[in-house]
């Protein structure tokens, strides 16, 4: 069971679902390292640092998940400030590029590579670099890596839109299956989560989403509250339903 005082590191916390993770985790008493690529532009996040509840438990760290120098500097900074390590790593940062009209037959190399770079490759590299901090925490049963995936990555179903994004999330799910095996001896579960269709900048690109960030993130925090080998290597929705690949 994740303790309410665990230390969480979140990528892409400037807005949307990442920002809502920060809000709800601070409300619950956790220590939060909120990372974002441009802290000076992340006004909602920096406002939380000024006035929100639990501000003493919040640190903001610059992290562009596609930039190796930025990752190295962030690891250094978090290592210096969190001497006991981190318990939970939430890979939330993601992009959904609309440049290819949602069609693979129209997708450019640049668009395909950009989706894969942010949504698939970066979570792998960021995990590699932060792993020593997860291994360091003296709390067996209290560690977790979470990948923010999407039902648009289903192999068994096509929604006919945003294929380069869907391809990158399907590949991310494969990362979860493979990494679960590699992480098993270290006692660190990894899980893939679909947050639902949520009203954020990204979610609102295609119409009016039925879910608000508050409900999605409250559901996800419940799903991941008991990290276990049963959770590891699997794909769940924010409401706890286990999803097919
Ligand atoms: P938003 O577009 O609202 O927010 C995306 C976040 O990712 C921003 O904080 C953005 O930072 C950050 N980000 C993008 N690229 C990078 C980068 N290179 N380095 C660091 N941060 C980066 O999206 P959502 O909040 O809706 O999405 C969050 C996650 O949930 C994504 O992985 C998305 O794929 C997934 N998801 C969302 C769904 C929805 O309906 N909303 C449905 C299914 C999955 P910046 O402010 O600097 O641009």
């Amino acid at each position: 069971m994740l303790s309410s005082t665990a230390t969480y590191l979140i990528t892409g916390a400037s807005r949307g679902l990442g920002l809502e993770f920060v809000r709800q985790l601070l409300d619950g008493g956790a220590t939060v390292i909120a990372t974002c690529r441009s802290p000076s532009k992340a006004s909602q996040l920096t406002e939380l640092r000024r006035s929100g509840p639990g501000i003493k438990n919040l640190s903001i760290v610059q992290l562009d998940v596609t930039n190796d120098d930025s990752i190295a500097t962030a690891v250094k900074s978090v290592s210096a400030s969190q001497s006991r390590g981190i318990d939970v790593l939430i890979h939330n940062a993601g992009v959904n590029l609309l440049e290819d009209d949602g069609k693979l037959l129209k997708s450019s190399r640049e668009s395909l590579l950009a989706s894969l770079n942010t949504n698939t490759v970066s979570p792998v590299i960021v995990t590699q670099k932060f792993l020593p901090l997860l291994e360091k925490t003296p709390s067996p049963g209290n560690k977790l890596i979470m990948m923010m995936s999407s039902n648009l990555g289903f192999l068994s179903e096509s929604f006919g839109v945003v294929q380069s994004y869907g391809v990158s999330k399907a590949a991310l799910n494969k990362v979860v299956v493979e990494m679960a095996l590699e992480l098993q001896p270290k006692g660190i579960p990894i899980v893939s989560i679909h947050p639902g269709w949520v009203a954020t900048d990204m979610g609102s690109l295609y119409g009016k989403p039925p879910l608000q960030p508050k409900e999605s993130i409250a559901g996800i925090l419940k799903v991941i509250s008991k990290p276990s080998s049963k959770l590891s290597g699997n794909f769940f929705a924010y409401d706890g339903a286990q999803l097919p690949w």
Side-chain angles (χ1 to χ4, degrees):
M1 183 85 179
L2 287 178
S3 119
S4 58
T5 56
T7 300
Y8 292 72
L9 187 141
I10 301 158
T11 66
S14 57
R15 55 195 167 96
L17 296 175
L19 182 68
E20 186 61 26
F21 266 121
V22 176
R23 285 202 184 100
Q24 294 195 22
L25 287 168
L26 287 177
D27 281 350
T31 297
V32 181
I33 303 148
T35 72
C36 60
R37 56 181 162 180
S38 307
S40 61
K41 293 186 193 153
S43 53
Q44 295 182 84
L45 182 60
T46 45
E47 188 51 38
L48 271 187
R49 183 78 189 91
R50 267 195 292 276
S51 60
I55 47 172
K56 63 181 190 320
N57 296 337
L58 171 63
S59 42
I60 298 173
V61 172
Q62 195 277 337
L63 175 60
D64 178 339
V65 296
T66 62
N67 182 308
D68 289 337
D69 290 340
S70 170
I71 296 171
T73 306
V75 169
K76 221 169 156 182
S77 152
V78 176
S79 305
S81 65
Q82 307 294 325
S83 53
R84 63 173 286 284
I86 57 176
D87 302 294
V88 184
L89 178 54
I90 296 182
H91 294 280
N92 166 79
V95 289
N96 184 348
L97 304 166
L98 297 177
E99 291 149 18
D100 47 22
D101 197 25
K103 301 292 174 207
L104 280 178
L105 290 178
K106 293 185 180 174
S107 297
S108 66
R109 180 182 295 279
E110 288 70 28
S111 159
L112 286 162
L113 285 174
S115 294
L116 284 165
N117 191 20
T118 303
N119 298 346
T120 316
V121 177
S122 295
V124 174
I125 303 297
V126 170
T127 299
Q128 291 170 0
K129 303 299 179 190
F130 278 99
L131 193 57
L133 280 167
L134 273 160
E135 291 185 284
K136 191 176 177 189
T137 325
S139 49
N142 203 19
K143 305 182 189 198
L144 183 72
I145 298 172
M146 194 205 102
M147 298 293 195
M148 195 66 114
S149 187
S150 170
N151 62 349
L152 295 176
F154 281 168
L155 291 178
S156 48
E157 197 177 339
S158 172
F159 297 89
V161 288
V162 290
Q163 272 102 341
S164 67
Y165 174 80
V167 167
S168 70
K169 293 295 189 181
L172 180 66
N173 285 345
K174 180 65 172 166
V175 165
V176 169
V177 170
E178 297 298 333
M179 259 195 194
L181 295 173
E182 291 184 40
L183 288 166
Q184 198 172 20
K186 300 179 185 298
I188 304 174
I190 178 167
V191 67
S192 196
I193 295 284
H194 167 54
W197 183 21
V198 196
T200 61
D201 293 339
M202 188 189 295
S204 303
L205 290 172
Y206 297 97
K208 199 170 181 307
L211 269 179
Q212 291 302 315
K214 203 170 177 177
E215 188 181 348
S216 167
I217 298 304
I220 293 172
L221 289 176
K222 207 166 156 195
V223 174
I224 67 172
S225 65
K226 291 179 195 153
S228 68
S229 49
K230 254 167 80 187
L231 209 63
S232 196
N234 286 302
F235 188 18
F236 292 91
Y238 74 99
D239 60 3
Q242 186 162 2
L243 299 175
W245 300 113

